[in-house]
Structure formats: structure tokens, C-alpha cells
Amino acid sequence: MKLSMPRFDQASVLVVGDVMLDRYWHGGTSRISPEAPVPVVRVDQVEDRPGGAANVALNIAALGAPAALVGVTGIDEARQSLHDSLAAAGVDAHFQAIEHQPTIIKLRVMSRHQQLLRMDFEEPFDTDPAALLAQVEALLDGVKVLILSDYGKGALRNHQALIQAARKRGIPVLADPKGKDFGIYRGATVITPNLGEFEAIVGPCVDEPELVAKGAELMRQLELGALLVTRGEHGMTLLRPDHSPLHLPARAREVFDVTGAGDTVISTLAAALAAGEELPQAVALANLAAGIVVGKLGTACISAPELRRAVQREEGSERGVMTLEQLLTAIEDARADGERIVFTNGCFDILHAGHVTYLEQARAQGDRLVVAVNDDGSVSRLKGPGRPINSVDRRMAVLAGLGAVDWVVCFAEDTPERLLAQVRPDVLVKGGDYGVDQVVGADLVTGYGGQVKVLGLVENSSTTAIVEKIRKR
């Protein structure tokens, strides 16, 4: 299955459900309490993160998709903390505020990246279903996907009214279900239970054929468009009427914390569908995203650059020959990870030992090396008739095969100045025996605070010398 990074910027998603605040108290532990056999945590940091449906909306926004949220809170400082965090992330949040009831808080006490204790402050909300439905209906215009993020805390009391409101507008509905009555999700486009939630409804599944059979029956009973069962270390299974099951393996390299993994799955799935991806491709993207987020501590999001890199690794396109647009996107992602970009350029007509040594030295100046290659026309103008020996596509393919080279791009001008202005490398590298002030583009790079370095050349290594030697023979 071929994957690509969707255009999330037009993929508007509305999330409705149980919002909560995930609060973390961090501190060191160096002794046991004299009052009881428990560690004493000296709290030195308090961290608030949106949780539940709010985390789903935050995940969607982190992917670059427009996200709106409808939920229920109290009137307290936790509500304000949620509102501020979501607003800072660009989430359009609408809360039904209920007096005399607290906003749900999940408090975790952490030490050395380990959770020692969790305390829940909550009570089921006395939600006004009609008012919540009115809020949702007022926001549905322009929405591509509706998510019901159900944690069973009382925000969702009128599932069918919400599903029908979306279906009347042709909007797909994704539901993350809870409880022992999945009938409330009848008519949803996709529901995404984990294996435990699924088996609580249909009974234990001893093998995949039984899971598929019971899933098919559940879809028939509930008139579902599809069923996605998340299965932890066994990945996930997508079931659709009249289609073969799609089993996807778990993608996590290391599982650190599964908190919020289900939120990541449904948010990525919804955003991908809203961006126009087909369901199998959207599920595969959600599977990649889940593999990333379980490697993080606590309730966490993945960003568009993180997902894009996972897609590139999946497709084997993280390195190599790129268009200018692909290169600029790759550089943006690399910089988001704090990586330094090194740039060099040349004809590289017949690759020799001097080139290889030079490119290895250039790569050592930073974290990523961009090699810009003159196209055939500019080589002819610079080197004269009969050059290049190798066409630009072949020269770029050979360069892309070198371990020191991350990205290869071509340019048509005689100098790379226009390309440099777009790439804006941290380090511009050139090989030769001239000064920094003689390097093309040096003024541009130093002008914005970059570095320019001139590296020595390997003696007795040049393409021109190789060509002349062949001609004489």
C-alpha cells in the first residue's frame, strides 16, 4: 500500500465529547515516607495537558488541520487551563459550562519518567443534550469529518441525534466508543474500539477468523460503514462490508506510554479522511502515528513533520533525489528537529575519490547534506562542448547512493544563488583553494547568520583529468 502525506490544511474536523485536563506533578524521589511505605515526591514542576476529546482536537491541530471542539466543563481554573492550551494550539473550543460541577482532572504523580500515582477528580456531567446538539449543528457547515470522542463521562447523551445531524449533511462520523451498548453508535461511518472494548460487546475472540466473523456481524447489526479494532502489540484490523480484512502490524519501535494512543488513532484517521484519503490509506497513517506516540511520555501529540518523516521512511523516500518543493519540506521537518543543514554544489560529472572525500567532509559540518547539481545545459556553458559526460539524472542517482549525501536537487542557472536563497542552509561548503569571499552565495549566507567553509581538495583527483586520460588512450 503506497502512502503519501495528505494536505491537512483544508481538512476541517469537529470533535464532540468528554474533555478533561491531564495534570502532571513531576519531582524527584530520594526517600521513603516515615508515615507509610511510600516514596516521597518533592514536586518541582506542574504540567497541564488537554486530555480526552480535547487531546483528540489537539492532535488534529498538531497535524495542521483546522480543528473545532465541543465539550462540557465546570467553571473553574481547570476549564481556563484547557481553554488557554487549546487556543494556543489553534483549536476552536466551545464549552458547555455547568455550575457546581468540576472540570474532569486526571492527576498523575511522576518521578524519573515513571508514574507513581494517578488521582481522578470527576463526576458525571449533567449535560444539556439539546444545547450541545445546537452547538454542534451551528459548527457543522464546512466540516469534513465529525468525531464522537466518548469516554462515558456524560458529555455525550444524544449520540443518535449527533450522528443523524452529520449524516444529513453528508459528513462522515467516526466514534471512539465506550461502555457495553454500542447500539448508541448505530449508523456511524467508522467506530474504533480497542480489543478489550470490542470483546466486551461480542465476546472473546480466540483467533483472527473469529474476530473477523464477530466484527462483520457487529457491523451488520449497527449498520456501520467500517470497524477498526486497535489491538495493541498486534496492530489493528480494519473490517468493511464486502471487503477483505486489512490487518496492519504494530509500528512502535519502543512502547514507553500508551496514554492517549487511541486519541492519536482516531484524530489521524479523521484528519486523513477529511483530507481526501481512502479509508485503508487513512488507517495505515493512523497506525504509523500510533507507533510514534506510544514512544512518548504521557498524553502527547505527533506533529505533521513527525508523521511526514514516518511516511517517508515507509516509502523509502526520506533521502535521495528530490524536487525543490520536496526538498524545502524535508528541510523544514529537519529544522523542526533542530538539525543543521549543510549545502554544497557542483557538476559531479564523473564521480571520483576526491568527490567522495569532499562530500564526507561536507556532511561532517552538520546533520543533513544537500547537494545541488548543475543541469546539463549549465554544465555545457561552464565546461564547454562535450560536457557533461553523464546526464543530470544519472549524476544525481550516483550522488544519492552515497552515504554522506541526504538530498540531491538540480538547478538550471550557472550559479546556485537563487536556490541558496530558498534553502537558506546553516553551512555553505565549497571545495577549492580560494577564499571564503570568493564563494558564490557567501554574502547571502553570512548575511542571515550562516557559515561559509572552504574545504581542501584531494590531490590528483579531477573529472577533467580523468576525461583527458581516457581521450589519450
Side-chain angles (χ1 to χ4, degrees):
M1 182 189 305
K2 185 171 179 59
L3 295 181
S4 61
M5 187 68 175
R7 287 291 305 270
F8 287 124
D9 54 345
Q10 300 298 316
S12 179
V13 180
L14 173 59
V15 183
V16 185
D18 297 295
V19 301
M20 55 195 74
L21 183 68
D22 286 330
R23 178 162 286 168
Y24 296 83
W25 287 356
H26 298 272
T29 56
S30 59
R31 62 192 181 96
I32 300 298
S33 171
E35 303 163 359
V38 295
V40 175
V41 179
R42 185 179 179 85
V43 176
D44 55 25
Q45 180 186 356
V46 176
E47 180 184 11
D48 286 353
R49 302 182 189 178
N55 183 47
V56 175
L58 199 64
N59 269 271
I60 293 165
L63 291 172
L69 171 67
V70 174
V72 183
T73 67
I75 304 176
D76 49 26
E77 60 85 22
R79 176 188 187 277
Q80 190 62 47
S81 178
L82 276 171
H83 181 274
D84 293 346
S85 296
L86 291 166
V91 176
D92 181 21
H94 302 261
F95 295 145
Q96 183 181 129
I98 298 179
E99 290 188 280
H100 312 303
Q101 285 192 270
T103 299
I104 295 171
I105 299 176
K106 308 286 186 180
L107 173 61
R108 298 169 176 88
V109 180
M110 312 290 295
S111 183
R112 299 177 183 176
H113 304 297
Q114 296 292 323
Q115 184 178 152
L116 302 182
L117 179 67
R118 184 177 119 176
M119 295 175 282
D120 292 357
F121 302 86
E122 65 176 76
E123 56 185 81
F125 278 109
D126 186 17
T127 306
D128 182 343
L132 186 135
L133 176 61
Q135 276 186 308
V136 171
E137 288 183 319
L139 294 168
L140 282 176
D141 288 342
V143 167
K144 302 288 182 62
V145 173
L146 173 67
I147 294 177
L148 302 183
S149 180
D150 194 353
Y151 279 79
K153 307 300 182 184
L156 294 174
R157 296 179 182 272
N158 53 348
H159 301 72
Q160 279 302 299
L162 294 166
I163 291 171
Q164 295 308 316
R167 290 187 62 173
K168 285 177 183 176
R169 294 168 171 81
I171 300 171
V173 180
L174 275 57
D176 188 0
K178 286 293 181 292
K180 296 185 178 180
D181 178 16
F182 279 13
I184 56 179
Y185 309 107
R186 181 180 303 276
T189 309
V190 187
I191 64 172
T192 62
N194 62 38
L195 183 60
E197 293 163 342
F198 175 72
E199 290 186 327
I201 300 297
V202 303
C205 300
V206 297
D207 53 25
E208 286 189 351
E210 186 173 8
L211 183 149
V212 170
K214 289 182 174 179
E217 177 60 21
L218 184 64
M219 286 190 293
R220 186 192 65 78
Q221 292 176 2
L222 300 184
E223 302 170 12
L224 301 175
L227 171 66
L228 178 63
V229 182
T230 58
R231 303 169 58 193
E233 69 273 17
H234 299 297
M236 47 182 77
T237 297
L238 173 65
L239 302 176
R240 293 171 291 166
D242 304 320
H243 287 79
S244 299
L246 176 63
H247 301 291
L248 295 174
R251 305 314 301 262
R253 296 178 180 176
E254 181 179 1
V255 176
F256 194 75
D257 192 337
V258 298
T259 304
D263 295 342
T264 298
V265 169
I266 198 167
S267 59
T268 307
L269 177 63
L273 290 173
E277 293 292 312
E278 295 296 325
L279 184 56
Q281 283 75 18
V283 168
L285 287 168
N287 193 38
L288 282 178
I292 297 170
V293 82
V294 296
K296 299 185 177 186
L297 176 64
T299 306
C301 297
I302 72 160
S303 64
E306 286 176 301
L307 182 58
R308 187 182 294 112
R309 284 191 170 191
V311 170
Q312 289 171 343
R313 285 193 298 269
E314 189 76 3
E315 297 301 308
S317 59
E318 189 181 17
R319 302 172 69 252
V321 177
M322 293 191 168
T323 66
L324 176 58
E325 182 180 11
Q326 291 169 332
L327 174 64
L328 295 179
T329 300
I331 288 172
E332 180 184 354
D333 292 349
R335 285 201 166 113
D337 272 0
E339 295 181 336
R340 280 166 54 85
I341 308 302
V342 183
F343 180 103
T344 193
N345 63 279
C347 300
F348 301 100
D349 194 1
I350 296 178
L351 202 66
H352 52 69
H355 288 138
V356 174
T357 301
Y358 165 70
L359 292 172
E360 289 175 345
Q361 292 173 349
R363 178 64 166 76
Q365 307 305 311
D367 302 296
R368 295 280 188 167
L369 176 60
V370 179
V371 179
V373 182
N374 294 77
D375 74 356
D376 294 346
S378 63
V379 174
S380 293
R381 292 191 297 272
L382 293 169
K383 301 292 185 179
R387 299 287 298 274
I389 304 297
N390 292 299
S391 62
V392 67
D393 57 333
R394 294 187 177 187
R395 289 183 280 132
M396 293 173 73
V398 172
L399 284 165
L402 297 178
V405 177
D406 291 286
W407 303 307
V408 185
V409 67
C410 77
F411 63 98
E413 299 86 353
D414 291 348
T415 74
E417 285 187 276
R418 186 178 65 86
L419 184 57
L420 278 168
Q422 294 174 287
V423 172
R424 295 176 66 86
D426 300 289
V427 186
L428 169 61
V429 174
K430 196 65 179 172
D433 55 1
Y434 38 77
V436 168
D437 58 336
Q438 296 174 297
V439 176
V440 173
D443 290 344
L444 171 69
V445 174
T446 56
Y448 59 72
Q451 293 179 291
V452 179
K453 295 188 177 182
V454 177
L455 304 179
L457 296 176
V458 176
E459 295 294 330
N460 302 317
S461 292
S462 85
T463 299
T464 301
I466 292 171
V467 171
E468 286 302 315
K469 187 174 183 180
I470 292 172
R471 284 174 175 166
K472 288 178 180 178
R473 287 187 177 179

